[in-house]
Amino acid sequence: MACLLCLFNTFRRIPSKVIVLSQVSTDFDSKCKHPLLLSTREDFDGKFVGDTEKVLLKMISSANKNPNPVLIDVGANIGLFTRLLCDSFSFAEIHSFEPGNEMAYWLKREVATSCASSKVTVHDNAVGDTHGVPVVLYGPAKQKKYTITNIKAHNTGASISEGVNKLRGSTTILGRTTTVRLDKLFDLIPRIELVKVDAEGFDPLVLRGLEWMLRRRTVQMIYWEFNKHWALASSHTYSQTVSWLADYNFTSYVIGKHQLIPISHYCLNPQMLDRISGTHNVLSILKLTTYEQIPELFNNLHMR
């Protein structure tokens, strides 16, 4: 509907003899990069990790002008993304959140061996839109254990969501902790370059817990995940979250292996986004920052 309204306004503002339907369609396609492809192409399956994240973080690091950037990793698991942050940024202040006891143990080991040039703090809290609420982290009855020879990241299925745990039959207690809102915990920090969120369906609640910092333009970028568990963990939809971030002047892009696709503002398509049942990684960038150049740089890199 948003894009249909844009088309209506375009026809209303520009004389009819100057604009024709084919020109409007071409303009939409060039700006929005055919967003319907997102629902079918494997390139946008958010389950991939690795090379794309490394390229993006290097670009973010190059655009960063802060000598001591603050970075936040929510849902750090055993620390692979935290390590990427350490590799990409020197002299950073990194806060990694992992409420699972076993994952946090391996996360701390990873930090101790891989993050010598940055200050990393590991938090055992569950991040959301509440603060100080006791919660229990559950996982499946048959948990795959980490060992020194099996340190590859895997999805433990750990969640504090009753709906997600019921669907998975999760009954094993992996940790007990309390919730935190990021805008309460970091209310005195004037600027945060990047917040990464991977919270097993709790991502929209984590984002709501950033609200006061978003109002103050404290957060420059958010790297978050949409997946099928959103409906079980909260009442927020994909398109509502993209639109909500746009209200705080964030432009959102689905991260593909070879391109970033805009999905907000002019390109917002609620009908398409809310039909997606897979996993998407999304990068939301605050307007009027040096990071706005990243989507074009990333897309140009893969067009060569």
Side-chain angles (χ1 to χ4, degrees):
M1 293 297 295
C3 285
L4 289 177
L5 183 59
C6 290
L7 293 178
F8 173 78
N9 289 334
T10 299
F11 280 116
R12 185 176 60 182
R13 290 195 303 266
I14 300 175
S16 58
K17 64 174 62 178
V18 175
I19 194 80
V20 296
L21 181 60
S22 61
Q23 290 173 321
V24 174
S25 177
T26 301
D27 186 50
F28 176 85
D29 288 346
S30 64
K31 289 183 178 180
C32 299
K33 306 286 187 183
H34 300 283
L36 290 176
L37 293 175
L38 296 176
S39 60
T40 57
R41 288 186 54 174
E42 292 183 2
D43 278 3
F44 302 100
D45 184 348
K47 294 179 181 178
F48 72 86
V49 293
D51 291 342
T52 300
E53 290 178 324
K54 291 178 183 177
V55 171
L56 270 177
L57 287 177
K58 287 298 183 184
M59 289 183 172
I60 292 170
S61 176
S62 296
N64 169 53
K65 305 302 181 184
N66 190 339
N68 302 111
V70 178
L71 313 165
I72 297 176
D73 183 359
V74 176
N77 199 275
I78 62 172
L80 296 190
F81 194 87
T82 295
R83 180 173 182 173
L84 287 179
L85 292 176
C86 292
D87 291 343
S88 302
F89 295 84
S90 298
F91 309 108
E93 178 184 335
I94 302 172
H95 294 269
S96 298
F97 289 82
E98 179 49 61
N101 294 336
E102 187 184 10
M103 285 89 79
Y105 168 78
W106 291 102
L107 169 60
K108 291 174 182 176
R109 285 178 62 109
E110 180 66 37
V111 166
T113 59
S114 305
C115 294
S117 66
S118 293
K119 177 186 176 183
V120 182
T121 303
V122 175
H123 304 261
D124 65 358
N125 301 97
V127 183
D129 61 345
T130 61
H131 198 79
V133 177
V135 292
V136 179
L137 185 76
Y138 287 97
K142 293 183 178 180
Q143 272 295 309
K144 183 178 180 181
K145 295 293 183 181
Y146 297 107
T147 67
I148 197 65
T149 58
N150 174 33
I151 198 57
K152 292 178 64 178
H154 57 263
N155 190 339
T156 60
S159 179
I160 61 173
S161 165
E162 292 184 6
V164 173
N165 288 329
K166 183 177 180 181
L167 175 69
R168 292 171 167 171
S170 298
T171 56
T172 302
I173 295 177
L174 301 181
R176 298 179 186 271
T177 186
T178 56
T179 60
V180 293
R181 286 180 61 103
L182 295 179
D183 59 6
K184 279 185 172 290
L185 192 63
F186 300 115
D187 62 331
L188 298 180
I189 295 181
R191 181 181 172 105
I192 296 172
E193 303 303 322
L194 176 66
V195 177
K196 167 261 181 180
V197 185
D198 183 356
E200 289 300 306
F202 254 66
D203 296 58
L205 302 182
V206 175
L207 298 180
R208 261 50 179 199
L210 285 167
E211 184 168 10
W212 289 106
M213 289 197 290
L214 301 187
R215 290 176 184 270
R216 300 193 301 263
R217 291 178 61 90
T218 300
V219 178
Q220 309 299 293
M221 281 176 299
I222 310 170
Y223 183 0
W224 51 281
E225 180 186 81
F226 167 80
N227 63 40
K228 63 182 179 182
H229 298 307
W230 275 37
L232 297 171
S234 75
S235 60
H236 302 288
T237 68
Y238 195 172
S239 64
Q240 286 171 350
T241 299
V242 170
S243 180
W244 182 79
L245 286 170
D247 289 341
Y248 292 104
N249 293 311
F250 281 86
T251 304
S252 295
Y253 302 82
V254 173
I255 302 171
K257 291 181 180 179
H258 304 104
Q259 58 184 321
L260 303 184
I261 299 294
I263 56 172
S264 59
H265 304 296
Y266 182 84
C267 298
L268 179 63
N269 186 329
Q271 292 81 6
M272 183 273 294
L273 288 183
D274 293 335
R275 286 200 305 267
I276 291 173
S277 59
T279 299
H280 276 176
N281 290 324
V282 182
L283 182 66
S284 298
I285 302 173
L286 183 63
K287 288 186 174 182
L288 302 178
T289 66
T290 58
Y291 301 112
E292 283 190 294
Q293 63 183 312
I294 289 174
E296 183 177 359
L297 291 174
F298 184 87
N299 291 345
N300 288 342
L301 176 67
H302 290 87
M303 287 175 63
R304 294 173 184 173

